[in-house]
Amino acid sequence: MSRSTPNVTSHFRKDMIMVPEAINEASGIRVFGRTLKSFVFTTDVATINYCNADAVLAVYPFSPHPSIIQAISSLAQRPVFAGVGGGQTQGRRSVDVSLFAEAAGVSGIVVNAPMPTDHILEIEKTVDSPIIGTVVSAYNDISARLAAGVDIVNVSGGKDTPDIVARIREQYPDLPIIATGGKSDDTIRAAIEAGANAISWTPPTTGDIFKEKMATYRKDRRNEFIESHDGMTLNEYEEFIEEKTDNHSSL
């Protein structure tokens, strides 16, 4: 007998940021005994706190800083996978940041596509955390990165993501793969059908959410005004009052 899943929430968490339901169709990746299907791609602590994603992909377009990793790790109530470099940050600094991230309690570290394989190997020798290696093109040398210590690949190839995932899956049937899911259920399912085990999802910005909330507040206030003023809009009501005042003055 099948039963529906009960949903429990609270007054202040009823408008949480929910990842697309299509992500639940993925098989997931089991990391330290936890099955992870959805990775929210953000470093915004408010978004992390109010999102139902299984894990956090804390990667940002600046040099990784211990204070940011510490802040996210202390707040997140789910596994955090922290970026430790790849572009302008490499070598000893990435190794040191990786060691700090592990000490801060992250579940894994992320190296971006430009990270040299010998640097990945140094990280692998230093920390015990799983390493996620980002892949942005079919031209990335996957085998070399896996040999250097990458445990999971994160495919971020834009519109080519499903094709890249399919190529990797054909060559590595058992490799854990995370892939960007795009903006719709169709693009998410395309990545899953190509072979992705989990999906990274970019949530709406706080600015977008504020914009939507403000529009709702304005609409609610307008409706409340109309309901309490005999169905008149503010302009109509002001005209009514002005006309009423003019009539009274002419008596």
Side-chain angles (χ1 to χ4, degrees):
M1 177 178 171
S2 61
R3 297 179 180 178
S4 60
T5 303
N7 183 47
V8 179
T9 185
S10 67
H11 176 72
F12 293 112
R13 291 179 179 265
K14 61 186 178 183
D15 57 352
M16 286 183 64
I17 300 172
M18 310 296 284
V19 301
E21 283 291 331
I23 295 179
N24 289 324
E25 298 173 18
S27 65
I29 299 171
R30 190 175 291 275
V31 180
F32 299 131
R34 300 182 64 165
T35 300
L36 311 176
K37 297 184 178 184
S38 55
F39 289 70
V40 62
F41 181 65
T42 184
T43 53
D44 184 281
V45 292
T47 296
I48 291 170
N49 192 58
Y50 284 95
C51 181
N52 74 327
D54 297 325
V56 179
L57 202 60
V59 181
Y60 44 95
F62 310 103
S63 182
H65 197 282
S67 63
I68 298 175
I69 296 173
Q70 181 66 57
I72 294 173
S73 298
S74 64
L75 172 107
Q77 299 175 354
R78 67 215 70 202
V80 174
F81 295 80
V84 297
Q88 63 181 359
T89 305
Q90 299 177 356
R92 189 71 239 172
R93 180 173 174 83
S94 287
V95 173
D96 290 343
V97 172
S98 298
L99 191 59
F100 174 88
E102 184 172 87
V106 302
S107 293
I109 58 177
V110 185
V111 294
N112 212 339
M115 178 75 76
T117 54
D118 56 331
H119 294 185
I120 296 175
L121 183 59
E122 286 303 312
I123 294 173
E124 166 68 10
K125 292 177 179 178
T126 304
V127 300
D128 183 53
S129 302
I131 299 175
I132 296 178
T134 300
V135 174
V136 297
S137 166
Y139 297 100
N140 284 124
D141 190 345
I142 305 297
S143 60
R145 299 174 81 75
L146 296 179
V150 166
D151 301 288
I152 303 168
V153 295
N154 172 42
V155 181
S156 180
K159 63 181 179 58
D160 296 326
T161 293
D163 291 335
I164 299 172
V165 170
R167 289 190 184 191
I168 296 173
R169 178 57 69 215
E170 182 178 5
Q171 188 174 2
Y172 303 98
D174 300 320
L175 178 65
I177 300 175
I178 305 169
T180 52
K183 297 182 179 180
S184 71
D185 286 351
D186 288 341
T187 55
I188 289 171
R189 290 193 174 100
I192 294 172
E193 290 170 4
N197 303 106
I199 296 295
S200 67
W201 176 71
T202 303
T205 67
T206 51
D208 291 334
I209 296 172
F210 260 124
K211 183 178 180 180
E212 184 177 336
K213 282 184 175 290
M214 292 303 108
T216 299
Y217 292 157
R218 287 191 289 269
K219 182 179 179 181
D220 289 346
R221 297 297 83 77
R222 182 178 186 276
N223 290 340
E224 288 175 4
F225 183 89
I226 290 175
E227 288 176 3
S228 60
H229 291 81
D230 297 324
M232 289 185 285
T233 65
L234 178 60
N235 289 339
E236 292 170 340
Y237 181 71
E238 289 177 342
E239 290 174 359
F240 168 74
I241 294 298
E242 184 177 352
E243 181 179 350
K244 186 176 180 180
T245 301
D246 290 344
N247 290 339
H248 181 74
S249 300
S250 62
L251 292 180

